[in-house]
Amino acid sequence: MGYADRDSGRAAAGFPSGHAGVLAINIKQKIEAANAEAFNRIVSADPVLVDIVPAGEVVPGLEDRMVLHSGPPVDWEHMGGAQKGAVIAMTIFEGWAGDIQSAEDILSKGGIKFDPNHHHDAVGPMAGTISKSLPVYVVENRTQGNRAYCRLVEDEQQFGNYSAGSIDGLRMWRDVWAPSLGKGVRHMGGLSLKPIIAKALQMGDELHNRPNAASSIFAGAMGVPMIEAGVPTKDLTSTLSYISGHDLLFLGLAMASAKSAADAARGIEYSTVVTAMARNGYEFGINVSGLDGQWFTAPAPAIDGLYLPGYGEGDGGFDMGDSAITETVGWGGFALGGAPGILSLVGGTPEEALNYSREMREITTGLSPDFAIPALDFEGTAVGIDIRKVAQSGVLPIIDTAIAHREPGHSIIGAGMVRPPMACFHGALRAFAAKYALE
Amino acid sequence: MGYADRDSGRAAAGFPSGHAGVLAINIKQKIEAANAEAFNRIVSADPVLVDIVPAGEVVPGLEDRMVLHSGPPVDWEHMGGAQKGAVIAMTIFEGWAGDIQSAEDILSKGGIKFDPNHHHDAVGPMAGTISKSLPVYVVENRTQGNRAYCRLVEDEQQFGNYSAGSIDGLRMWRDVWAPSLGKGVRHMGGLSLKPIIAKALQMGDELHNRPNAASSIFAGAMGVPMIEAGVPTKDLTSTLSYISGHDLLFLGLAMASAKSAADAARGIEYSTVVTAMARNGYEFGINVSGLDGQWFTAPAPAIDGLYLPGYGEGDGGFDMGDSAITETVGWGGFALGGAPGILSLVGGTPEEALNYSREMREITTGLSPDFAIPALDFEGTAVGIDIRKVAQSGVLPIIDTAIAHREPGHSIIGAGMVRPPMACFHGALRAFAAKYALE
C-alpha cells in the first residue's frame, strides 16, 4: 500500500488527510477493530424480560423526588412543552403535588431533580418520564450481563397530557397491569425477547412506531404464565384486555431490548459507533462508543409528518424521546422497508420505505445476522451507525417518530419522519479527533 | 359503437366472435352486471365466528359414517395417498375401525360415504376431512345470512398421517380446545373476523399459508372471553397454549370466512366469477357463479415448491385442499406481495411476490375496498376471478399451498406455488356458452 492509499485510508476514517504514515493506518485499523467489536456486541445481545417492578427498586441512582426524562440533560426552563406536561403529570402521580399549578410551582423552583434516562441504564418513549413508583420493564442482556429499563408506552401522559384520566392510566399500570405481568414474568423465569423481535420483523413491524405484531405475540405469551402464577381473575382479565388491545405495547420492550444491546457496546476505545440517539424536545443528542460519557447535541429538529385531525404543523413540538434507541440498533426507520403498514401513520411510499432501509447500509457497520427483512430478500437490518460514514456520506440516520404538541397538556397529535442534526456527528468527530490525538 | 366494436365486445366476453349484434351486447352487459353483483357480494361479506361445535350438529347433510373431503367428488379408488391416509385417520377417530388395516378394509368396501365439503357449505385444509364428531368453526356471513364451516388446521392428520399421535391431536381439539374456545365465542356473542383479516393483511399475512398475525390476534382476543365464560383453569391454560403457539390456526377461520363470502356469490345468473377452487389430490375443480352445482375439473397439478429435509419432488402428491377458497376471495397467492415472509416457505423473491399480486388484477373483477396491501401502496386485493379473463389472458390464478406426501401416513413435507389447469376454465366457458345459448 503506497502513501496515497494510506492517505485515502485516513480520509476513509473520516479525518483530515495529510498526516500520512503508519500512525494513520494504525488508527484506522484500531477503529475498524473497535467498530467490529461494537457491532458484534450489539447483534449478539440476548435481551430477556426478567421482571416488571417499580423503578425505585431497580433503576440505579434513581432518587426520591427525581424524574428521569428522555434525551440529553435539560433543565425546566429549556424543556419543551410536552416534556413539561409529562413531568407535571409525574409530580402529581407521585403525590409530590396535588394539582397542576402546585406541581408547576415546585418544578419551577427546582424542587424536583431531573436526569436523563440514559444516565441510569434506562429509556423512555417521548417525554420518557420515569419516577420511583412507576413500574419499568427490566430487560437483562444475557450475553453481556447488563440490564436496561423502560417504562410503559401509552398515548397520553408521555405526550404531555397531565389530565386526571391520563394519570389514571399510569395508576392502572402501577396497581394492576404491571404487578400482574410481573408475576407472570417471574413465574416463567423470564421471557426471551429476541425470538419475538425476529418474528415481528417478518410481520411488518419495525418495532418503533409499529410494534403491532410483537405486541400481539407478547400478549399471547403472557396469558398462561399469569394464570399459573395465580393472578386474581379480575386483575387477569383487566391485564389481558390491556395487553391484547395495545398495539404499541411492545415498544417499551423493544426500547429496553435495544438499550441493553447498545449499552453493551459503550466504552470501546477507538469505536466510532453510535450507542444512543435521544431527544428531549429541545436538543437532539448522540453518544458514541469510544467517547462514552459525552453528549454531542444540537437543536432538536421539527418532524416531517402527518397530523391527527384538528392539529397541524404549527402545533408540533420538536423531536422528542429515547425511542430512537431502536434505530440505534437497526430497527425503526432503519427497518421501514419491511414495515410498509406504518406509512399510513408517517407518510411516504413503499419504495421510499425500502430505500430508507437500503440507504442506512451506507452509514452502518454491518447487517444483523438474526434480524432479517423479507421484503429486502431476507437480508439483515443495518446495524452500528458509524459517525465517520455519516459525516462522509452526508446521509443522516432516518427515524420514524410520533409528534407531541409544543404546549403542555396534550396527547399524541401525529407521526412522521425525522433525521438528527449533522452537527451532532460533526461534534462527535471533533471530540474523537481530540481524544485520540488525530490532529 | 360499430359492428367491429360489438365483435370485440363479444370477444372480450370470452366467447367466439362472429355472431355480432344486439344479442352479444346484451349478454356482455348481463355478464358485467352479474359479475359486479358477485364481486359486491364477496367484498361485502361480514364473517363472524359464532360457534365451534361438532360438525354433526351443524353441517347440513353430514350423515353418520360419512367423511367429507376437500376438492371435487372422488371415490376411494381415485383418492390420492394423503387423502386416503386422512380418511383412514377419521375412520379410527370416529371409532368406526380400531386400526389402520380394518379402516382400509371398511373403506375399500364402500362402508364409509364420501362427499365434498363444498356440497355441505364447508371447507377443509389439505385432505380436508370432516366427520360428525370433529368440531368445526361456524362462521356466519352477517351481510347475506349464510353460514360456512371449516375444521381445525394442523400439520399431521390433514396431510394423511394416521398415527396414534396424529389422531390424538384431533381428540385434544374435540375434547378440550374446541369446547373451550366454543364457550368463549358464545360468551362474547361472536367474534367479528373482518377486522382481524384486514389488520393481518397489513402485518405480512396472506391468510393461506401465512396467517401468523391473524392467529396471534385471534389468540389475544380469546383469553378474556374464555375466562369470563368459566372455562376450567386446566382447559384454559391448555387452550391458551394451543392457540398462542399455533401460527397456522387462523387458516381455518380464514377459510370459513372466505367460504361464507364466496358462497354468497353463488348462483348469480350470467356471472362468470369463480366461487370455488378446490383439489383432492386427484383432480382440480372450480365452481362458477352462473353455473352453480357443476364442477369443472382436470387432473390436479404438481406443486413447484420447497421440501422439508428428507423429502424431495418424487415424494409429493398432487395439489390438494379446499384452502384455495382463500385465493378465490383474493387472499393467499393473490395477496403474496404483502406477505414476503412466506417466501422462506414457498420460494421466490419479494419482487415475484409483488408481481403475482399485480398479475391477478388482470383476471379479476375489482379490488377489495376493505383489504389493503401496504406494499402495493395500500391498494386492495384482487377479487372475483373471471373465467373469461383467465381464458383470454392465459393468466391462471396463483395459489400458495402446502405439499402432502403421495403415500398415506405422512405429515407435511413441503410448500410451494401452484396454478390450476387451464382446462377447468375452458370447460367452464364451454358450459357457460351452452347454458346461456351463446353459440
Side-chain angles (χ1 to χ4, degrees), chain A residues 168-181:
Chain A
D168 278 346
L170 303 187
R171 292 187 181 116
M172 281 298 291
W173 168 251
R174 178 191 64 195
D175 299 336
V176 179
W177 303 328
S180 301
L181 289 167

Side-chain angles (χ1 to χ4, degrees), chain A residues 70-127:
Chain A
S70 56
V74 65
D75 57 23
W76 175 253
E77 191 191 343
H78 293 94
M79 267 187 187
Q83 199 163 57
K84 277 188 171 166
V87 168
I88 290 168
M90 295 312 288
T91 305
I92 296 169
F93 170 74
E94 290 290 355
W96 299 327
D99 56 38
I100 296 162
Q101 188 53 58
S102 52
E104 283 197 77
D105 288 348
I106 293 168
L107 288 160
S108 62
K109 287 171 188 155
I112 306 294
K113 198 171 171 185
F114 298 136
D115 221 16
N117 284 313
H118 272 295
H119 294 188
H120 298 264
D121 303 342
V123 279
M126 297 306 292

Side-chain angles (χ1 to χ4, degrees), chain A residues 340 350, chain B residues 334-335 337-338 353-355 357-358 361 373-380:
Chain B
F334 285 45
L354 286 164
N355 285 338
S357 293
R358 293 188 188 109
R361 297 176 184 176
I373 304 291
L376 290 164
D377 287 307
F378 291 90
E379 291 185 341

Side-chain angles (χ1 to χ4, degrees), chain B residues 368-409:
Chain B
S368 167
D370 298 315
F371 299 134
I373 304 291
L376 290 164
D377 287 307
F378 291 90
E379 291 185 341
T381 51
V383 178
I385 302 162
D386 186 336
I387 56 171
R388 301 172 305 163
K389 294 182 179 176
V390 172
Q392 278 170 0
S393 66
V395 172
L396 288 158
I398 185 79
I399 297 165
D400 63 71
T401 189
I403 306 175
H405 205 283
R406 64 191 174 85
E407 300 291 345

